[in-house]
Amino acid sequence: MRSILLVLLLLPTPALADAQTDLGALLFFAPSLSVTGTQSCSSCHDPAAGFASSDPVTNQGGAVVEGAVPGRFGNRKPPSIAYQGLAPVFHHEMIVGAATFIGGDFDDGRATGYLTGTALADQALAPFLNSQEMAMPNSACVVLRACQLPGGLTDQKVCDIMAEAKIDVECSDPKAKIAILLQTRYFADLGFNEIARALASYERSPAVIQFTSRFDDWKAGRITLTDEEHAGFLIFDGKARCSTCHVLTPSADNGPPLFTNFTYSNIGLPKNPDNPWYGQAANKLGKDWLDKGLAVTLGHDAIYRKFAPAEEGKFKVPTLRNVDARLGADGTRAYGHNGYFKNLEGIVHFYNTRDLLPPCASDLVTEAEAEAQGCWPAPEMPVTVNSNNMGNLRLSPEEEAELVAFLKTLTDR
């Protein structure tokens, strides 16, 4: 499959790119591509919430979206996919004598881009086959369902072979073990690759990568920021040191800044006590389970395995674009890879005071409980916590508010 995908990763003509984008949009919003026909990509990545989860009830608690199979949950909240189309293939650079890991998709970088040539396309394929997410028994089922969509896959040979396999019933059973012929597998790989390219084309399109925020209007000279917002920008790029990782430098081709350098960091995030993963049968460790982030990805790579211990608990620096996008002014948006924080004010206060407030009596308290007690729970992975750029920023409450005001200018129209 790897060789097929790599060979077929071609640079499309403009007309083909448009067709791919249209197909990708269709696939992105199609719930039939999940085993129960109830969950689409947009179920977890809602455009109205900056392509993150829009469910306020879920975000207020464990923040992990239930999969297509009722009762199944993964271990992290869905990250926003907005602007992820610009992430480079996973790699490392030597900075000050140490390996710094850059790129890839998912919070732990496991969509490396090694399979299809782009991190985005690698990421697009994974949820279909994840038993905790869309839970399709295999890729042939995804291709079959994509062929059945009006306006879906148009490769008639691929769709004919999928229909001849007669796997419709099995594709609705998450426990199915589907044995298919070698020829069917070959054409399933072709179709699955087309799905990856189409989704990647849509997620790289102006529908997702918009650059239409008030910040962009300000940089273009079309509007003026309020005094509070401008003060927040100066704090962002100065005292708070946010721009160290959420960089303001132009993106590729001298485009607008992406507010991420695509590196990995451990911000000292506590466990989210409401994470439904702790109660899943697939998690044998219960609340003793630790999310080691990037280290797990490196541990699966023969070359990078030796670096894994030093990267435990590190997660990709997210873009801050659309960081305040939500359903309605009162909608809840979760922050951090496990959704521990429920508003921008909370996570900004954490960055500012993490190393100042006393530790909570328990490591399993919610953000609201920690705020009421005037403490912070211990980091889930304490050894690699970033103490250089956060933890004691010495911001006043007014400066925290100004920083939040600036962050709210990054939401696309």
Side-chain angles (χ1 to χ4, degrees):
M1 179 175 174
R2 180 188 295 259
S3 60
I4 293 172
L5 291 170
L6 289 175
V7 168
L8 291 178
L9 189 69
L10 305 176
L11 292 175
T13 65
L16 179 57
D18 289 343
Q20 280 189 335
T21 299
D22 291 343
L23 174 60
L26 176 69
L27 299 172
F28 188 83
F29 293 98
S32 64
L33 300 187
S34 65
V35 68
T36 55
T38 58
Q39 187 174 66
S40 67
C41 301
S42 63
S43 298
C44 297
H45 306 287
D46 188 341
F51 291 90
S53 171
S54 61
D55 182 356
V57 176
T58 298
N59 288 340
Q60 190 60 48
V64 181
V65 175
E66 187 176 28
V69 178
R72 286 190 187 176
F73 293 85
N75 50 40
R76 299 184 193 134
K77 76 170 182 64
S80 170
I81 56 96
Y83 298 92
Q84 289 307 307
L86 302 176
V89 170
F90 187 80
H91 65 287
H92 79 281
E93 294 180 8
M94 298 304 295
I95 300 177
V96 195
T100 298
F101 294 94
I102 303 170
D105 257 326
F106 291 117
D107 285 337
D108 57 10
R110 67 185 185 277
T112 58
Y114 301 161
L115 181 63
T116 64
T118 70
L120 182 61
D122 277 16
Q123 182 278 328
L125 294 178
F128 294 123
L129 306 181
N130 188 323
S131 63
Q132 313 302 122
E133 296 185 65
M134 299 171 85
M136 282 296 225
N138 66 25
S139 60
C141 291
V142 184
V143 176
L144 174 65
R145 296 276 183 89
C147 287
Q148 293 170 342
L149 283 171
L153 289 187
T154 57
D155 189 321
Q156 196 58 51
K157 183 64 173 178
V158 167
C159 291
D160 286 347
I161 292 293
M162 293 303 103
E164 291 169 5
K166 299 186 184 305
I167 55 175
D168 294 68
V169 174
E170 290 89 341
C171 289
S172 297
D173 181 2
K175 298 179 181 179
K177 304 295 183 182
I178 303 176
I180 57 178
L181 298 175
L182 183 61
Q183 181 193 35
T184 305
R185 167 54 54 202
Y186 171 80
F187 283 98
D189 287 348
L190 294 182
F192 208 38
N193 179 67
E194 179 59 23
I195 289 170
R197 289 188 290 164
L199 284 169
S201 181
Y202 169 67
E203 293 180 32
R204 282 194 294 263
S205 76
V208 181
I209 300 178
Q210 298 179 21
F211 296 116
T212 61
S213 69
R214 292 186 65 247
F215 168 83
D216 295 298
D217 288 342
W218 172 59
K219 294 297 288 185
R222 293 187 288 268
I223 67 167
T224 300
L225 296 183
T226 67
D227 290 344
E228 184 181 38
E229 290 166 347
H230 190 261
F233 169 74
L234 296 178
I235 293 168
F236 181 94
D237 195 31
K239 185 175 180 179
R241 302 193 293 277
C242 306
S243 60
T244 303
C245 298
H246 301 286
V247 294
L248 293 167
T249 52
S251 56
D253 301 322
N254 204 37
L258 298 177
F259 289 87
T260 177
N261 57 8
F262 296 108
T263 60
Y264 294 78
S265 183
N266 178 359
I267 67 171
L269 201 68
K271 288 185 173 184
N272 183 348
D274 295 326
N275 191 337
W277 175 246
Y278 294 139
Q280 291 287 292
N283 172 23
K284 306 301 182 184
L285 297 176
K287 291 190 175 181
D288 290 331
W289 178 82
L290 298 174
D291 194 341
K292 297 185 178 182
L294 176 61
V296 177
T297 299
L298 299 179
H300 293 308
D301 188 300
I303 296 175
Y304 285 148
R305 189 173 297 139
K306 63 182 179 181
F307 296 101
E311 305 299 318
E312 288 188 351
K314 293 187 180 182
F315 296 87
K316 190 162 68 171
V317 174
T319 176
L320 295 182
R321 287 184 171 273
N322 289 315
V323 71
D324 191 49
R326 65 189 67 235
L327 283 187
D330 297 327
T332 300
R333 175 82 179 258
Y335 297 95
H337 65 269
N338 63 11
Y340 181 83
F341 292 98
K342 309 306 179 185
N343 53 62
L344 278 175
E345 290 79 4
I347 194 166
V348 166
H349 187 58
F350 176 76
Y351 271 57
N352 186 31
T353 64
R354 184 196 66 199
D355 300 342
L356 293 178
L357 296 183
C360 297
S362 169
D363 294 342
L364 291 170
V365 299
T366 66
E367 177 195 10
E369 292 167 340
E371 181 181 3
Q373 297 170 26
C375 62
W376 289 121
E380 180 173 17
M381 301 296 297
V383 176
T384 61
V385 168
N386 182 346
S387 296
N388 296 322
N389 303 314
M390 62 194 73
N392 182 9
L393 301 180
R394 297 183 174 87
L395 302 182
S396 67
E398 180 183 21
E399 288 171 322
E400 285 189 12
E402 290 168 341
L403 181 54
V404 169
F406 169 69
L407 293 174
K408 291 182 178 181
T409 71
L410 302 180
T411 301
D412 287 324
R413 288 190 294 274

